[in-house]
Amino acid sequence: MIAEVFTTLHGTVFQDDVNRCWTVDFAGKQASFNYRCLLKLREGVYRIDIEDKLLNHTTAPDVEIIFICACEHSYVLTLAEVIALRELLEGTFVMLQLNAIIQNALYRQAV
């Protein structure tokens, strides 16, 4: 069963229970990740210092490459896309935490 976890204007994250993976549909690319690689993607996005990139007026290009070790996917994103991907991943992990809290509360009431 595939369930939508979180959606923004720029992308969607789906949870695939059969294949035990998450599919990130973002920037015209669909990529499937196991939970460990999804965490690594989030870490890679969070490591980018957006404030510094916006305030630093050097001639550095407005492109970030996100390569995830032990995973076959990578992203080449503009700074605006990095912000959008960060928003998508933040929402996804909030929904996963909320689901865990609800499951925990239901399990406690059943026991």
Side-chain angles (χ1 to χ4, degrees), residues 42-107:
R42 182 178 73 166
E43 289 171 14
V45 170
Y46 276 68
R47 261 184 272 157
I48 298 169
D49 189 353
I50 294 171
E51 184 178 349
D52 179 59
K53 299 279 185 197
L54 289 172
L55 296 175
N56 189 357
H57 296 291
T58 63
T59 58
D62 184 24
V63 174
E64 290 293 325
I65 299 173
I66 302 172
F67 176 75
I68 305 149
C69 191
C71 187
E72 61 191 48
H73 303 289
S74 61
Y75 289 92
V76 179
L77 304 172
T78 65
L79 203 50
E81 290 173 325
V82 170
I83 294 168
L85 182 56
R86 182 179 282 191
E87 177 188 9
L88 179 64
L89 292 173
E90 281 177 5
T92 297
F93 280 94
V94 166
M95 289 298 119
L96 293 175
Q97 288 173 342
L98 180 60
N99 187 40
I101 291 168
I102 292 170
Q103 291 295 329
N104 194 12
L106 290 174
Y107 176 73

Side-chain angles (χ1 to χ4, degrees), residues 10-68:
H10 303 286
T12 304
V13 175
F14 299 97
Q15 182 177 356
D16 185 346
D17 291 335
V18 173
N19 295 316
R20 294 182 170 204
C21 66
W22 283 263
T23 301
V24 177
D25 184 1
F26 182 79
K29 174 181 178 178
Q30 277 196 345
S32 293
F33 299 95
N34 62 25
Y35 188 70
R36 186 181 57 125
C37 288
L38 189 65
L39 285 171
K40 287 184 178 209
L41 174 63
R42 182 178 73 166
E43 289 171 14
V45 170
Y46 276 68
R47 261 184 272 157
I48 298 169
D49 189 353
I50 294 171
E51 184 178 349
D52 179 59
K53 299 279 185 197
L54 289 172
L55 296 175
N56 189 357
H57 296 291
T58 63
T59 58
D62 184 24
V63 174
E64 290 293 325
I65 299 173
I66 302 172
F67 176 75
I68 305 149

